[in-house]
Amino acid sequence: MSIAIYADGADLETIAVRAADPQISGFTTNPTLMRKSGIEDYDRFAEDALAIVGNRSISFEVFADDFPTMEKQARKIASWGTNVAVKIPVTNTRGESAAPLIRALSADGITVNVTAIMTTQQVAGVAEALSADTPAIVSVFAGRIADTGRDPVPYMVESKRLLAGKPKAELLWASPRELLNIFQADACGCDIITVTDDLLKKLQWIGRDLDVLSLETVKMFHDDAVSAGFSIEIN
């Protein structure tokens, strides 16, 4: 596969483990993951994370809801390192498009990671706003699209087409739900997929013999029944 795997999370110990894994090409974080990890000092967390990941790409997200403050945060985050991508939500909480901000940042050579994208219309707007000369990441939340009962693959294929005029923009499959999504993302031309640690732990399952896996599953059910002391009265 040619797709790059980025580790998604905000636990520094886990980031350190993944930084030692040559399969991991980069890292992403977000305020929700940081909150779950108990992060209280954003700047300190970023400093520690950057020291761990070396020169690999890492994304940090703005959290303001008004665009002027969002821009100030974005420019500060961008100053943390040349390998930093600034995550900008595709809209604010009022549904107002972030395209003007994306355009301004991208025109100034700042690498943005546009996040929380769910529609191809949003991708088209982002593509129009991006500078052709500046690297960018376009994060389409394929997993959340799938959660609505829609097949995300056509969305990702169309998103890749919409980004064709911006050769430095990379399409990212966000919020995968299973390892199969890595292969789907690769097949439809995505450049990056973010993978949480629980899924990364399953990478060892790729290509496993299904007969062996079947037998292991049967043994698991049997052992758990015995350990629980289950019994059924049979006359």
Side-chain angles (χ1 to χ4, degrees):
M1 294 187 295
S2 60
I3 193 166
I5 297 176
Y6 281 23
D8 192 28
D11 176 75
L12 290 171
E13 290 186 5
T14 303
I15 290 173
V17 171
R18 295 305 167 192
D21 185 345
Q23 295 181 96
I24 304 304
S25 300
F27 299 83
T28 56
T29 67
N30 64 53
T32 298
L33 293 172
M34 291 170 63
R35 181 174 179 270
K36 287 180 179 179
S37 294
I39 304 299
E40 295 179 349
D41 186 328
Y42 202 125
D43 285 22
R44 177 60 185 273
F45 165 73
E47 182 181 350
D48 291 342
L50 283 163
I52 293 169
V53 305
N55 60 2
R56 277 178 282 189
S57 174
I58 184 167
S59 296
F60 298 107
E61 188 166 343
V62 300
F63 51 86
D65 196 41
D66 65 281
F67 293 120
T69 307
M70 202 182 289
E71 180 173 1
K72 291 177 182 177
Q73 291 180 349
R75 293 185 184 279
K76 174 67 180 295
I77 290 171
S79 74
W80 291 343
T82 56
N83 60 324
V84 171
V86 183
K87 293 183 83 171
I88 305 291
V90 69
T91 71
N92 62 12
T93 63
R94 294 178 294 282
E96 298 164 340
S97 174
L101 173 59
I102 294 165
R103 182 176 292 106
L105 295 172
S106 186
D108 284 349
I110 293 175
T111 301
V112 295
N113 177 343
V114 187
T115 190
I117 296 173
M118 306 283 180
T119 72
T120 53
Q121 290 82 3
Q122 289 175 327
V123 174
V126 170
E128 192 278 329
L130 291 172
S131 169
D133 299 323
T134 304
I137 300 171
V138 179
S139 294
V140 180
F141 278 55
R144 296 201 178 202
I145 292 172
D147 286 344
T148 71
R150 296 173 173 88
D151 181 358
V153 169
Y155 288 79
M156 305 309 287
V157 170
E158 176 63 7
S159 296
K160 186 68 175 178
R161 187 190 71 79
L162 290 168
L163 292 170
K166 301 297 168 72
K168 292 192 175 183
E170 296 183 289
L171 178 61
L172 184 150
W173 178 304
S175 66
R177 301 301 192 237
E178 55 192 357
L179 285 185
L180 173 62
N181 296 154
I182 299 176
F183 295 89
Q184 290 174 314
D186 186 62
C188 63
C190 294
D191 302 286
I192 304 167
I193 185 168
T194 53
V195 185
T196 55
D197 201 61
D198 57 337
L199 282 183
L200 287 172
K201 290 174 181 175
K202 291 184 177 181
L203 287 177
Q204 60 184 322
W205 283 45
I206 291 176
R208 288 196 64 193
D209 184 289
L210 294 180
D211 287 318
V212 172
L213 188 58
S214 173
L215 183 58
E216 289 178 354
T217 304
V218 170
K219 290 178 178 179
M220 177 187 71
F221 292 154
H222 174 266
D223 292 346
D224 285 341
V226 171
S227 297
F230 292 148
S231 64
I232 298 175
E233 283 193 28
I234 302 174
N235 296 326

